[in-house]
Amino acid sequence: MRPLQWRGETIVTTPTRNLALELVRVTEAAALAAGRFMGRGDKTAADRAAVEAMRFMLASVPMDGVVVIGEGEKDEAPMLYNGERVGTGDPPPVDIAVDPIDGTRPLATGNLNAISTVAIAPRGTMFDPGPFVYMNKIAVGPDAKGKVDITAPVEANLRAIARAKGGRVEDLTVIILDRPRHEELIAQVRRLRARIRLIPDGDVAAALMTAWPEAGIDVLLGIGGTPEGVLAACALRAMGGEIQGRLVARTADELRRGREMGFEFDRTLTMDDLAASDDVCFAATGITDGELLRGVKYSGGGATTDSLVVRGLSGTVRQVRAIHRLEKLNRISPIPY
């Protein structure tokens, strides 16, 4: 491809393939398969359906992928396990983070904000948390990027976010997982008179809401999943937001083992630690309705999905609303839509 000229400057090389547009087919398939289980009370069956659909579609994506953030080790199959090879095996070599259902409990009970997510990054650039599944996090959107510090007191961070947004602490909405471990955090936020949105699960969607103005969320605080933190970092890199984290050990023995393995529990993990390359791609599709995405809607012979597709190199964020003809899909796919 010949270089292009723009105002006298050579600016362009051959465009790289936008795998984010391939990934949205993966999350759409998982959402369509899992959406049938909304409100049925069976988290295991819903997750199995999403995983099987996601694995089938990942096999068609032109990449040499290794799952870094999965749903456990190989002996826990049929889940997408850590170290599993996915894709066609062709270049590029990439790390993959998957969460076929972020929010299995909301899906099983028919509540809000269950989504299906996938992220990829160049091989070796995605943080591997090993067996340590919990992380203290703070996530914000573009307005407050560079203004927060996870080691600072809650009050200092909320005041910094309010200043960055040109408002008061009372104007902020803080999203927090509804867990007993967050009782003191919730009490602190209430004393500062900020608004609180408590959620039962789904902290990938919660982190992304901070960078999505229509969601009305200003900051995510509290301890959630480490894998979810890596997925959120991939998306927020392109969306202009920020997430910081610190690994949390659940027991003294876990802390000891982690240190022996070289993990630093008192170290702040920045965006560059969690997703070290701008060349990230992320896709999410709504399974149930939420502030971020609409859920799957079924009708006679068809369904609609609502997705978010993010590419780090360009910073492009796409909203994809798709109409699916299920009778045609069922002719060419083994996935039971």
Side-chain angles (χ1 to χ4, degrees):
M1 180 175 181
R2 295 178 58 190
L4 300 182
Q5 298 292 316
W6 178 258
R7 296 178 181 173
E9 297 181 5
T10 301
I11 59 165
V12 170
T13 58
T14 304
T16 58
R17 186 180 183 93
N18 184 359
L19 287 177
L21 296 176
E22 302 278 354
L23 295 182
V24 73
R25 295 170 52 243
V26 174
T27 56
E28 285 174 348
L32 286 168
R36 295 291 188 185
F37 293 86
M38 188 181 83
R40 293 187 185 177
D42 192 340
K43 295 191 294 183
T44 301
D47 201 40
R48 184 182 299 112
V51 168
E52 290 174 354
M54 182 169 279
R55 178 179 276 130
F56 177 78
M57 294 303 295
L58 279 171
S60 70
V61 179
M63 63 184 179
D64 176 12
V66 175
V67 176
V68 174
I69 303 291
E71 295 205 314
E73 302 305 317
K74 185 174 181 178
D75 60 3
E76 296 174 19
M79 303 310 177
L80 281 153
Y81 60 85
N82 300 339
E84 183 171 350
R85 305 299 290 257
V86 295
T88 62
D90 300 310
V94 296
D95 291 338
I96 302 179
V98 300
D99 197 346
I101 305 174
D102 176 44
T104 52
R105 181 160 40 185
L107 173 58
T109 57
N111 284 316
L112 302 176
N113 290 318
I115 64 173
S116 179
T117 67
V118 174
I120 63 172
R123 182 74 51 79
T125 63
M126 192 178 285
F127 180 70
D128 183 351
F132 305 106
V133 297
Y134 283 103
M135 174 190 288
N136 190 22
K137 308 173 198 174
I138 182 169
V140 293
D143 289 345
K145 181 180 179 180
K147 308 296 184 184
V148 296
D149 179 355
I150 196 170
T151 65
V154 171
E155 181 175 359
N157 278 317
L158 293 188
R159 293 197 183 284
I161 295 166
R163 284 195 299 272
K165 289 176 169 284
R168 304 175 302 162
V169 170
E170 291 92 331
D171 301 326
L172 301 180
T173 300
V174 184
I175 195 163
I176 303 171
L177 281 170
D178 190 5
R179 297 286 188 275
R181 63 178 177 262
H182 289 147
E183 286 181 3
E184 177 54 30
L185 171 62
I186 292 167
Q188 289 182 60
V189 174
R190 285 174 174 164
R191 285 195 292 269
L192 294 165
R193 303 187 59 161
R195 297 168 8 124
I196 296 176
R197 170 86 158 82
L198 292 177
I199 55 172
D201 290 284
D203 54 340
V204 176
L208 269 59
M209 287 180 206
T210 65
W212 199 245
E214 292 87 346
I217 301 296
D218 299 291
V219 57
L220 164 74
L221 293 176
I223 297 171
T226 305
E228 289 82 355
V230 177
L231 276 158
C234 291
L236 289 173
R237 246 197 122 88
M239 297 174 77
E242 179 180 9
I243 185 170
Q244 297 175 16
R246 281 192 159 197
L247 293 175
V248 174
R250 292 171 289 182
T251 65
D253 182 63
E254 188 171 272
L255 179 63
R256 177 189 57 77
R257 288 190 299 108
R259 286 174 173 167
E260 289 174 354
M261 295 171 65
F263 287 93
E264 301 175 61
F265 289 84
D266 56 353
R267 176 189 170 196
T268 296
L269 298 168
T270 66
M271 296 277 282
D272 287 335
D273 296 310
L274 297 170
S277 172
D278 280 330
D279 193 9
V280 294
C281 295
F282 174 91
T285 300
I287 306 175
T288 64
D289 285 336
E291 293 93 336
L292 185 69
L293 293 165
R294 289 168 290 187
V296 180
K297 301 292 187 294
Y298 298 96
S299 59
T304 60
T305 55
D306 185 28
S307 301
L308 192 67
V309 185
V310 179
R311 190 186 188 202
L313 280 180
S314 63
T316 302
V317 180
R318 290 180 171 90
Q319 290 180 273
V320 178
R321 181 168 171 79
I323 301 172
H324 307 270
R325 296 282 301 278
L326 298 185
E327 73 276 12
K328 288 195 169 187
L329 285 175
N330 285 325
R331 286 184 211 146
I332 62 174
S333 170
I335 302 167
Y337 293 116

